[in-house]
Amino acid sequence: MDKVLKTNADGRPWQWEEDGMIVTRSHARSAPGCHTNCGVLTYVKDGKLVKVEGDPDNPFNNGRLCPRCLALKDVVYSPDRLQQPLVRDGERGENKWKRVSWDEALDLIADKFKKIIEEHGPESIVFQQGTGRDIFAYISRLAYGIGSPNWGHSFLMGNACYLPRINAMMVFSGAANFMDCAQALEDRYDDPQYEIPGCIITWGNNTIATNPDGFYGHWIVDLMQRGAKLINVDPRLNWLSAHAEYWLQLRPGTDAALALGMLNVIINEDLYDHEFVEKWCYGFEELRERVQDYPPSKVAEITWVPEDKIVGAARLFATSKPASIKWGLKVDQNTNGIQNAQAVMALWCITGNVDNPGGMLLGTDMMSEPVPWQSKISDVSILSQEAQDKRLGGKEYPMLSFGFTCTQPNAMVRAIETGEPYPILAGWWQTTNPIACTSTDARRALEVLKKIPFNVVVDLFMTPTAIAIADVVLPTCTIMERNGSSGIAEYYIGAAAITKAIDPLYETKADAQINLELGKRIKPENFAWDSWDDWNATELRGITWEELQSNVYMYNKGFQYKKHEKGLLRSDGQPGFNTPTGKLELYSTLLEAWGLDPLPYYEELSETPISKPQLAKEYPLILTTGVRPWVFFHSEHRMIPRLRRVKPDPQVEIHPDVADQLGIVDGEWVMVENQRGKARFRAKITRGIDPRVVMADHAWWFPERSPEDHGFGPYDCFKSNINLLTRMDTAASGFGADYIGLLCRVRKIEEGE
Ligand SMILES: Nc1nc2c(c(=O)[nH]1)N[C@H]1C(S)=C(S)[C@@H](COP(=O)(O)OP(=O)(O)OC[C@H]3O[C@@H](n4cnc5c(=O)[nH]c(N)nc54)[C@H](O)[C@@H]3O)O[C@H]1N2
Ligand SMILES: Nc1nc2c(c(=O)[nH]1)N[C@H]1C(S)=C(S)[C@@H](COP(=O)(O)OP(=O)(O)OC[C@H]3O[C@@H](n4cnc5c(=O)[nH]c(N)nc54)[C@H](O)[C@@H]3O)O[C@H]1N2
Ligand SMILES: [Mo]
């Protein structure tokens, strides 16, 4: 630190000079995509980003960074970046564009949208986004501000990423629950209030590599170093399985059965927390009865996990207090999503690990009453009830009203395909790449998107989706080129400042600035801010932007454990939980009211060796997909050479015995196929996977190849696309879709194929 440039009110520097560079303490989020919000130091010289490093004084990442953040500079200065607004100047898919000014582009979009609003109503325009950004609130605000209730998660069928878990938690416990790693306490593990969990379960979550939803995988390691024992539930070996007391290597998609089997052991061996259950849980006797259908011997058959491991793991979890569970995406990614979540939740509820130090933290109602400082993720209040009632899937899937107020993707697809309940005439696709990544049944997704008469894509790069369906493409800037504020370390813990390092390159703009400028053109009264910076400042409640920026991050001071005992969770101020019965609902009165089974259960997925034995003769292997590599965020980063070198090609993991039978050698290109489609991957032969299972990467396209379609879609996005094998479906709840747990076969690629 050669010279301090800026300090906060306590005199702590947040910007200084070092070796001729300006160093700023900030945070990194999106773009490019990211779920987390790491503390970073940005180094800038003469207006140019020199490097990004981890901020050692950040209490959450403690100076650590992943390879994608370390390569941020390569993304910022990538020659592939979109530089100007583009309007289509040929047929869709021809990759012919006219460069236009922002005014021209935004006027064109505003005119189209206004005409649709006048002639058909604002609901005929859908505003859709992918995952993992700190700009959710500004995309939904654009939709709601111009009158459309149709903000949502693009082609993420069954909203199968975190939403099954979030909405389940909201319905069964009235709040979001997440593992307590002392993230809400300023002294972290040393805070006297905190207790180290005796046991942690990581469930369908490779958190060491994925750090999802503001949770840092290394917190698990920190706790293991402090004595916590680990149980890992995963069909493949990863770092966590290798270091676990119990690795429960289950058959993909059988998670609910495993959790029910563990509940059976805990209840029948009388290992549950009687006092907690009596006081705070609803429907325990019904759950006790239900789990009798899942004795460990039967569960072992369903899940392939040996009976003694099911029993041992259940005992370890129930007899360690506190104990906690870090669950992940694989809980959501099949049509059992809600039952999976319900059964796993019951494990922490009946053992009394709720809002206790080292157990499962309860957020307040994270959607409608978020932290005082954070923007509301999906504030529908500016829409009339009549407009809200038009949300696609809202009526059909009442569970959708708990949590994010978003569209139901399967219902959106139906509306586009059939015009029912009303036609969809324009699509706004911001931060999503449906045909290469987001959607199951990728070819159908393309056909569906093509049906929409007018599409706008907002992205950093030209994508297969933009080439195939966009009429206008708008270039956004990276996280290094804009200010922002974001939640820290799971949503309600506090707020983090994002201070821009450099000005936006070329003619790019911050996403929220783009949305603001468009919103102003259509319904100015709902977009009164002067600029994105102005908007950002007014989003912060109780503090100013200058305060947040100079403090870099600030905690929500109101944090308390055991909020249910203190009357802090319910609007009536009474003790208990924000559910219809005021208790944690092991038996859900809401599910019952909606005509769904109120108790957790296991249902065999629709295409497995058990449910479709005939099909399994042809396609004998069970497919799981999408395990995340360090170097890519979904379909991103393939054009960044430093990252691509680490994983140059799409891969499928196969057990050596199966590879031997098929005559496949490590590194060979193979075909993975089923009755719906086929895709090519390089075989990665590993003993870490069960011989009956294969794991294929998702989200592959090839930015180095031709944007024109030579039979495999733009940039060959249909050459190694595992979502040619998946299908569009969802459960009766509207949550969960089969991104995993389907049948397939692997074979050698024939010559000339
Ligand atoms: N088979 C299979 N399919 C899957 C999955 C799987 O596990 N298996 N995972 C699913 C899951 S969980 C998810 S969440 C989806 C993810 O699906 P998406 O969120 O759609 O995927 P990404 O590739 O992360 O993002 C899409 C685009 O957003 C752009 N982008 C990144 N950051 C920003 C930003 O800040 N602003 C703007 N305007 N653009 C930005 C990127 O350049 C990229 O082109 O995929 C799903 N698809
Ligand atoms: N580097 C990187 N990080 C990311 C992302 C990325 O693309 N790249 N994507 C982000 C997004 S949007 C999300 S949703 C999260 C997801 O992050 P995670 O929740 O960690 O999900 P995955 O990595 O898909 O899979 C987690 C583990 O589940 C296992 N698994 C597979 N099938 C099953 C099953 O049926 N049951 C169980 N119990 N386990 C199974 C896999 O083997 C894997 O080890 O990661 C986020 N973080
Ligand atoms: Mo996700």
Side-chain angles (χ1 to χ4, degrees):
M1 211 178 283
D2 301 331
K3 182 179 160 199
V4 172
L5 297 174
K6 287 182 181 152
T7 56
N8 71 3
D10 298 336
R12 278 185 296 133
W14 64 273
Q15 195 169 61
W16 58 88
E17 267 181 32
E18 197 174 298
D19 297 335
M21 296 177 284
I22 293 174
V23 187
T24 307
R25 291 184 74 199
S26 178
H27 290 87
R29 190 82 195 263
S30 295
C34 182
H35 262 206
T36 320
N37 211 19
C38 290
V40 291
L41 300 177
T42 61
Y43 291 76
V44 173
K45 190 172 188 175
D46 302 329
K48 221 174 163 233
L49 183 69
V50 179
K51 62 178 175 176
V52 178
E53 290 196 347
D55 177 359
D57 292 331
N58 181 287
F60 307 108
N61 62 309
N62 312 90
R64 300 166 173 96
L65 280 189
C66 82
R68 289 168 288 124
C69 210
L70 290 168
L72 255 180
K73 185 185 154 195
D74 301 33
V75 177
V76 172
Y77 297 111
S78 166
D80 289 359
R81 267 185 71 179
L82 288 168
Q83 303 187 359
Q84 282 123 334
L86 301 172
V87 171
R88 183 164 58 77
D89 197 23
E91 293 302 310
R92 282 181 176 174
E94 280 188 344
N95 192 31
K96 291 190 180 145
W97 307 96
K98 191 167 68 185
R99 295 180 164 199
V100 296
S101 69
W102 275 102
D103 278 340
E104 282 174 282
L106 292 172
D107 287 345
L108 171 84
I109 300 165
D111 286 349
K112 290 261 185 202
F113 283 11
K114 280 197 273 196
K115 193 156 184 279
I116 294 170
I117 292 170
E118 268 162 38
E119 291 174 5
H120 300 272
E123 63 277 6
S124 284
I125 312 170
V126 295
F127 292 83
Q128 301 288 320
Q129 67 164 95
T131 190
R133 327 275 183 237
D134 54 328
I135 50 170
F136 274 45
Y138 314 107
I139 303 173
S140 59
R141 191 62 171 72
L142 174 61
Y144 302 153
I146 69 152
S148 171
N150 288 324
W151 163 73
H153 293 98
S154 178
F155 278 65
L156 195 65
M157 290 302 128
N159 275 317
C161 168
Y162 209 11
L163 268 67
R165 279 171 291 153
I166 289 179
N167 289 54
M169 291 188 287
M170 300 304 291
V171 164
F172 307 137
S173 75
N177 304 210
F178 31 89
M179 183 181 166
D180 180 18
C181 298
Q183 60 269 52
L185 306 169
E186 297 197 31
D187 291 333
R188 295 296 307 268
Y189 312 115
D190 296 332
D191 189 297
Q193 289 183 79
Y194 188 67
E195 286 178 52
I196 304 293
C199 172
I200 299 167
I201 307 183
T202 45
W203 197 305
N205 184 216
N206 185 16
T207 178
I208 301 290
T210 56
N211 304 291
D213 309 300
F215 187 97
Y216 291 87
H218 65 256
W219 295 346
I220 305 267
V221 183
D222 291 346
L223 292 173
M224 288 165 73
Q225 285 169 340
R226 288 164 174 78
K229 294 200 167 104
L230 186 66
I231 298 167
N232 178 245
V233 182
D234 200 306
R236 295 165 58 247
L237 181 78
N238 62 30
W239 188 93
L240 294 162
S241 358
H243 292 80
E245 209 76 5
Y246 286 96
W247 170 26
L248 309 181
Q249 191 181 10
L250 82 174
R251 171 162 68 100
T254 61
D255 298 80
L258 179 61
L260 284 158
M262 291 173 72
L263 289 165
N264 173 296
V265 175
I266 294 170
I267 293 176
N268 289 349
E269 294 191 3
D270 204 16
L271 301 175
Y272 62 95
D273 183 333
H274 284 251
E275 200 189 321
F276 186 86
V277 166
E278 268 155 43
K279 213 165 171 184
W280 301 114
C281 296
Y282 176 81
F284 179 74
E285 286 310 315
E286 288 86 348
L287 180 70
R288 181 201 292 275
E289 213 174 291
R290 175 59 58 89
V291 303
Q292 301 315 315
D293 297 342
Y294 299 91
S297 54
K298 179 175 158 191
V299 169
E301 259 175 54
I302 299 174
T303 62
W304 303 343
V305 180
E307 188 176 338
D308 61 324
K309 286 199 180 180
I310 300 171
V311 174
R315 286 178 185 156
L316 174 61
F317 180 74
T319 56
S320 313
K321 192 98 179 247
S324 49
I325 299 182
K326 177 67 190 90
W327 59 6
L329 173 66
K330 266 42 196 180
V331 172
D332 309 316
Q333 276 190 321
N334 55 63
T335 47
N336 283 335
I338 294 297
Q339 297 97 274
N340 292 342
Q342 193 179 10
V344 175
M345 266 188 87
L347 285 167
W348 69 69
C349 292
I350 68 162
T351 53
N353 283 298
V354 177
D355 223 19
N356 55 330
M360 300 300 291
L361 286 181
L362 279 193
T364 44
D365 174 350
M366 75 193 241
M367 303 308 154
S368 60
E369 259 333 302
V371 254
W373 308 334
Q374 230 184 303
S375 52
K376 290 191 177 188
I377 287 177
S378 54
D379 181 2
V380 282
S381 62
I382 51 172
L383 284 178
S384 68
Q385 192 57 47
E386 195 195 354
Q388 289 183 40
D389 288 347
K390 291 186 179 157
R391 181 160 52 112
L392 291 167
K395 282 244 166 68
E396 196 177 347
Y397 303 111
M399 197 170 183
L400 205 61
S401 299
F402 290 72
F404 294 99
T405 44
C406 55
T407 50
Q408 206 285 346
N410 305 68
M412 180 178 75
V413 165
R414 207 176 316 127
I416 300 168
E417 283 183 334
T418 66
E420 294 297 331
Y422 44 79
I424 302 305
L425 300 171
W428 174 270
W429 309 96
Q430 189 166 17
T431 91
T432 181
N433 189 356
I435 69 170
C437 175
T438 337
S439 188
T440 49
D441 199 346
R443 284 225 186 244
R444 179 166 163 202
L446 173 59
E447 292 313 311
V448 173
L449 279 160
K450 282 204 280 198
K451 287 205 160 72
I452 303 178
F454 182 69
N455 283 310
V456 182
V457 169
V458 190
D459 208 296
L460 271 185
F461 292 97
M462 191 56 95
T463 63
T465 302
I467 295 279
I469 61 114
D471 302 295
V472 182
V473 180
L474 301 178
T476 192
C477 64
T478 68
I479 193 71
M480 291 290 113
E481 299 157 90
R482 66 169 174 90
N483 291 324
S485 49
S486 185
I488 47 172
E490 297 257 24
Y491 309 93
Y492 84 114
I493 303 302
I498 296 163
T499 296
K500 76 173 180 181
I502 55 170
D503 287 330
L505 294 185
Y506 322 110
E507 289 176 34
T508 64
K509 283 183 199 263
D511 283 282
Q513 179 70 30
I514 298 171
N515 296 12
L516 177 61
E517 290 180 23
L518 180 63
K520 272 181 181 299
R521 282 171 162 80
I522 299 172
K523 218 168 184 195
E525 63 274 28
N526 284 340
F527 298 89
W529 308 279
D530 290 335
S531 66
W532 157 233
D533 281 330
D534 177 26
W535 189 358
N536 180 37
T538 55
E539 284 295 316
L540 302 168
R541 279 163 279 159
I543 49 167
T544 63
W545 163 247
E546 286 72 26
E547 260 177 292
L548 178 62
Q549 186 184 39
S550 66
N551 280 288
V552 187
Y553 57 87
M554 292 172 84
Y555 287 90
N556 180 7
K557 292 286 180 206
F559 175 77
Q560 295 188 47
Y561 285 113
K562 304 208 172 172
K563 293 179 273 298
H564 52 288
E565 292 180 358
K566 302 169 187 164
L568 296 174
L569 295 173
R570 296 177 53 85
S571 52
D572 59 11
Q574 292 300 307
F577 297 87
N578 193 19
T579 60
T581 57
K583 293 189 171 186
L584 297 167
E585 296 200 351
L586 303 171
Y587 177 103
S588 168
T589 55
L590 286 168
L591 287 189
E592 188 177 37
W594 299 328
L596 300 169
D597 190 336
L599 289 163
Y601 61 97
Y602 169 70
E603 189 168 49
E604 189 65 26
L605 297 181
S606 62
E607 283 180 20
T608 75
I610 294 157
S611 58
K612 291 265 166 48
Q614 269 318 102
L615 192 66
K617 285 192 184 137
E618 222 174 315
Y619 304 109
L621 295 166
I622 296 173
L623 178 68
T624 187
T625 71
V627 171
R628 278 84 172 122
W630 285 101
V631 286
F632 303 139
F633 198 81
H634 294 290
S635 69
E636 299 174 53
H637 297 107
R638 302 297 190 291
M639 69 295 280
I640 307 300
R642 231 171 5 135
L643 297 174
R644 182 74 179 274
R645 264 200 295 279
V646 178
K647 191 172 167 79
D649 301 309
Q651 285 177 320
V652 60
E653 293 182 356
I654 309 171
H655 190 275
D657 294 351
V658 181
D660 281 352
Q661 274 169 24
L662 299 168
I664 289 168
V665 296
D666 194 53
E668 178 177 346
W669 282 98
V670 295
M671 198 71 91
V672 182
E673 66 185 356
N674 66 11
Q675 72 278 24
R676 280 179 292 272
K678 56 185 181 180
R680 290 145 212 260
F681 300 85
R682 270 197 201 277
K684 180 179 169 189
I685 297 177
T686 165
R687 287 195 180 276
I689 196 157
D690 188 284
R692 295 160 286 187
V693 179
V694 294
M695 195 298 289
D697 288 352
H698 78 305
W700 272 92
W701 60 292
F702 303 89
E704 68 278 14
R705 298 195 197 157
S706 162
E708 285 100 50
D709 185 351
H710 295 291
F712 289 100
Y715 301 108
D716 277 356
C717 69
F718 293 137
K719 199 145 203 174
S720 298
N721 188 336
I722 199 61
N723 282 330
L724 297 175
L725 281 73
T726 55
R727 70 205 159 98
M728 286 188 190
D729 58 352
T730 189
S733 60
F735 287 91
D738 293 337
Y739 283 84
I740 62 168
L742 297 162
L743 292 169
C744 71
R745 74 175 163 221
V746 176
R747 62 168 171 84
K748 288 176 91 74
I749 294 179
E750 286 158 30
E751 249 188 64
E753 195 179 2

